[in-house]
């Protein structure tokens, strides 16, 4: 605990918490107010930590949409002070535990990423493991057994104050709809310490899979096992499911678990191609569907914002999306998405010009011939069809959108 409370560790934790920002917890304090609060109260808080008497504040629970599901994901938002202490705990514990974790575990670990997990799955596919066992843990973060978790932590942590503090965080009250409840199981999603604790729990699963000689990739609670036949996959599914339910006291989602060809399954938003160019990374269909739904929302024609404002907001989203899904190996998909996005923006601009005379004037100003400008502006076609005609495509060409700052998913070869 003395190492956790060391000035250097706490300064690094404070810097990280402020960089992560986040909403205020149950006490309403923002992370920007935290430094001033600590100047006045840190000596007393530190004394409580060293004496083993510190008590966390209640956690504010919120529900956010869950991608690809009608269900809501419940997040626990600790107060800024507890976020700081949990971050300091994480910085003290992770260097000790991380070297012991499996090489096939990729989630929430320094120097590891979802892209590495997908690349490793691709390598297994190329080596002949054509089938995947997809194990989905139902409500994993809500079902973690506190006693088993703390027993596993106690194998490496000798300081009883640390174990007592971690238990206090696991059993901190949860404030939801004005009512406070005390959890008897689970780790609250949204806290800095929760991802590390999930890896501690599931490291037991990793060790069991390695003992059996199975090849797998795990990212948090998303675990895929790679085999060469359906029969081998079904055997692995049955035996590993028993281990998860009987040994780890967790529950496998019966509706989502499956044994299938890797080309038919998705892993962390990616899948793999078949056909003439097999085993290449591609964006999973559900991920593409979510992307298009978000772009439609950002470019809807009834929002009453200028095209430049829409493009600025859209480009921010595209930059983040491309940072992750640009890892795909199917450039034709990115080119098609670029074309589809520009089609929607042309449609939006055409709709905003509203009247025929304005549309004709705008086309003429952009170098369209008078005859083509007239037939385009006074056409009876709807905005979506018209935005794909030569008059509108030439007037609102790719260079026009480049000048407005629209981010391209597929960079042109001459750039």
């Amino acid at each position: 605990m003395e190492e956790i409370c060391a000035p250097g560790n706490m300064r690094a934790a404070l810097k990280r918490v402020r960089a992560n920002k986040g909403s205020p917890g149950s006490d309403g304090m923002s992370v920007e107010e935290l430094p001033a609060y600590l100047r006045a109260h840190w000596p007393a808080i530190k004394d409580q930590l060293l004496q083993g008497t510190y008590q966390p504040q209640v956690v504010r629970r919120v529900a956010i949409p869950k991608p690809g599901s009608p269900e809501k994901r419940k997040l626990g938002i600790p107060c800024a002070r507890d976020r700081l202490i949990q971050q300091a705990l994480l910085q003290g514990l992770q260097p000790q535990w991380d070297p012991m974790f499996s090489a096939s575990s990729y989630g929430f670990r320094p120097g590891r990423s979802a892209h590495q997990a997908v690349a490793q799955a691709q390598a297994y596919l190329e080596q002949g493991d054509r089938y995947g066992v997809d194990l989905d843990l139902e409500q994993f973060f809500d079902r973690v057994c506190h006693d088993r978790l703390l027993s596993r932590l106690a194998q490496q942590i000798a300081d009883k104050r640390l174990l007592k503090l971690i238990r206090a965080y696991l059993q901190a009250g949860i404030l939801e709809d004005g009512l406070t409840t005390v959890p008897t199981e689970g780790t609250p999603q949204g806290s800095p310490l929760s991802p590390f604790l999930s890896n501690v729990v599931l490291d037991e699963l990793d060790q069991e899979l390695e003992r059996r000689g199975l090849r797998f990739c795990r990212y948090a609670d998303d675990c895929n096992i790679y085999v060469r036949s359906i029969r081998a996959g079904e055997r692995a599914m049955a035996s590993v499911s028993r281990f998860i339910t009987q040994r780890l006291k967790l529950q496998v989602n019966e509706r989502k678990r499956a044994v299938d060809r890797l080309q038919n399954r998705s892993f962390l938003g990616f899948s793999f191609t078949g056909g003439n160019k097999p085993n290449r990374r591609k964006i999973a269909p559900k991920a593409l569907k979510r992307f298009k739904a978000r772009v439609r929302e950002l470019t809807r024609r009834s929002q009453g914002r200028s095209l430049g404002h829409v493009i600025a907001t859209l480009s921010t989203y595209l930059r983040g999306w491309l940072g992750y899904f640009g890892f795909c190996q199917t450039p034709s998909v990115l080119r098609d998405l670029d074309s589809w996005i520009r089609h929607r923006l042309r449609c939006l601009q055409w709709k905003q010009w509203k009247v025929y005379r304005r549309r004709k004037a705008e086309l003429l100003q952009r170098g369209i011939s008078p005859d083509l400008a007239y037939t385009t502006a006074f056409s009876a076609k709807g905005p979506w069809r018209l935005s794909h005609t030569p008059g509108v495509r030439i007037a609102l060409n790719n260079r026009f959108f480049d000048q407005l700052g629209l981010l391209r998913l597929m960079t042109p070869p001459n750039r």
Side-chain angles (χ1 to χ4, degrees):
M1 186 62 79
E2 283 75 11
E3 293 177 7
I4 298 298
C5 296
N9 189 50
M10 295 306 302
R11 280 194 295 268
L14 178 60
K15 183 178 180 180
R16 184 62 181 267
V17 167
R18 294 186 69 183
N20 290 341
K21 299 181 180 179
S23 303
S26 58
D27 61 353
M29 182 193 301
S30 69
V31 293
E32 296 304 322
E33 300 173 272
L34 188 56
Y37 174 85
L38 291 173
R39 282 192 289 271
H41 297 92
W42 174 244
I45 295 172
K46 180 180 178 181
D47 185 64
Q48 292 174 20
L49 290 170
L50 294 176
Q51 296 298 324
T53 60
Y54 180 82
Q55 288 297 319
Q57 291 183 276
V58 296
V59 175
R60 182 168 67 91
R61 173 168 280 179
V62 296
I64 63 171
K66 192 173 182 180
S69 172
E71 301 174 359
K72 296 281 188 177
R73 175 176 283 124
K74 293 184 177 181
L75 292 184
I77 303 178
C79 66
R81 182 183 71 187
D82 286 324
R83 241 178 286 174
L84 171 71
I85 297 172
Q86 289 195 42
Q87 180 63 37
L89 280 170
L90 175 65
Q91 292 170 181
L93 294 175
Q94 194 159 48
Q96 176 187 358
W97 283 79
D98 197 73
M100 298 184 292
F101 290 151
S102 169
S104 298
S105 168
Y106 295 89
F108 310 116
R109 297 180 60 189
R112 289 177 167 262
S113 67
H115 287 170
Q116 291 175 342
V118 174
Q120 183 60 67
Q122 183 181 19
Y124 289 147
L125 175 60
E126 291 172 345
Q127 292 166 20
D129 293 334
R130 297 176 297 167
Y131 294 87
V133 180
D134 192 346
L135 289 170
D136 185 84
L137 301 181
E138 189 168 12
Q139 296 180 327
F140 165 71
F141 287 93
D142 297 330
R143 297 181 184 274
V144 170
C145 176
H146 292 171
D147 290 338
R148 284 190 57 81
L149 170 57
L150 287 163
S151 174
R152 193 156 182 82
L153 288 170
Q155 295 175 12
Q156 299 294 329
I157 299 175
D159 193 331
K160 302 298 182 184
R161 296 169 298 178
L162 275 180
L163 295 173
K164 183 179 179 181
L165 180 60
I166 293 172
R167 182 180 283 277
Y169 275 122
L170 291 173
Q171 297 180 345
I174 296 175
L175 178 64
E176 185 175 17
D177 298 329
L179 299 175
T180 301
T181 58
V182 178
T184 57
E185 60 181 3
T187 61
Q189 293 187 71
S191 68
L193 199 57
S194 183
F196 166 74
L197 295 178
S198 71
N199 275 334
V200 172
V201 172
L202 292 175
D203 183 57
E204 195 170 352
L205 172 62
D206 297 343
Q207 291 182 10
E208 178 66 16
L209 295 177
E210 289 178 346
R211 187 185 67 80
R212 299 183 184 191
L214 295 171
R215 303 211 287 187
F216 68 98
C217 291
R218 182 178 65 79
Y219 191 94
D221 59 334
D222 196 348
C223 182
N224 278 10
I225 302 170
Y226 303 96
V227 294
R228 301 202 170 197
S229 68
I230 289 183
R231 189 172 180 180
E234 289 173 346
R235 287 197 303 268
M237 171 73 79
S239 61
V240 174
S241 295
R242 282 195 301 272
F243 176 83
I244 291 172
T245 55
Q246 296 175 9
R247 183 74 176 271
L248 299 184
K249 307 302 181 185
L250 298 172
Q251 188 170 339
V252 178
N253 192 325
E254 299 292 336
R255 294 179 290 106
K256 293 185 178 179
R257 71 173 190 170
V259 179
D260 202 350
R261 286 185 176 273
L262 291 179
Q263 288 87 350
N264 299 332
R265 305 297 297 177
S266 64
F267 181 50
L268 302 176
F270 291 92
S271 185
F272 302 102
T273 60
N276 296 329
K277 296 181 178 179
N279 307 341
R280 300 173 70 186
R281 297 186 299 270
K282 69 174 185 178
I283 304 168
K286 285 186 179 180
L288 278 176
K289 185 177 179 181
R290 288 197 297 269
F291 170 78
K292 288 191 171 184
R294 180 59 176 156
V295 171
R296 287 190 184 99
E297 181 184 347
L298 293 174
T299 59
R300 65 185 187 276
R301 286 172 267 169
S302 59
Q303 58 185 315
R305 296 189 301 166
S306 68
L307 183 64
H309 191 180
V310 171
I311 287 177
T313 306
L314 176 63
S315 292
T316 300
Y317 170 71
L318 294 178
R319 188 171 289 106
W321 186 89
L322 186 62
Y324 184 76
F325 287 103
F327 190 59
C328 73
Q329 296 174 315
T330 51
S332 61
V333 173
L334 298 180
R335 281 195 296 269
D336 290 344
L337 289 174
D338 269 333
S339 178
W340 175 75
I341 290 169
R342 288 191 293 267
H343 191 173
R344 287 196 61 82
L345 292 173
R346 291 185 186 107
C347 184
L348 172 64
Q349 181 66 89
W350 187 257
K351 186 74 173 177
Q352 289 181 347
W353 284 340
K354 294 184 178 180
V355 296
Y356 300 131
R357 296 182 186 278
R358 167 80 184 278
R359 290 170 175 172
K360 180 182 176 182
E362 294 285 356
L363 293 176
L364 290 172
Q365 184 179 347
R366 287 165 171 77
I368 304 302
S369 66
D371 288 344
L372 182 57
Y374 178 86
T375 56
T376 304
F378 289 91
S379 172
K381 296 178 181 177
W384 182 253
R385 291 182 64 191
L386 266 174
S387 61
H388 206 57
T389 57
V392 179
R393 287 174 62 87
I394 295 171
L396 305 178
N397 55 26
N398 295 357
R399 183 178 297 178
F400 168 80
F401 289 114
D402 290 341
Q403 291 172 347
L404 286 178
L406 177 65
L407 180 73
R408 292 199 189 194
L409 301 178
M410 190 68 189
T411 305
N414 59 346
R415 288 198 171 188

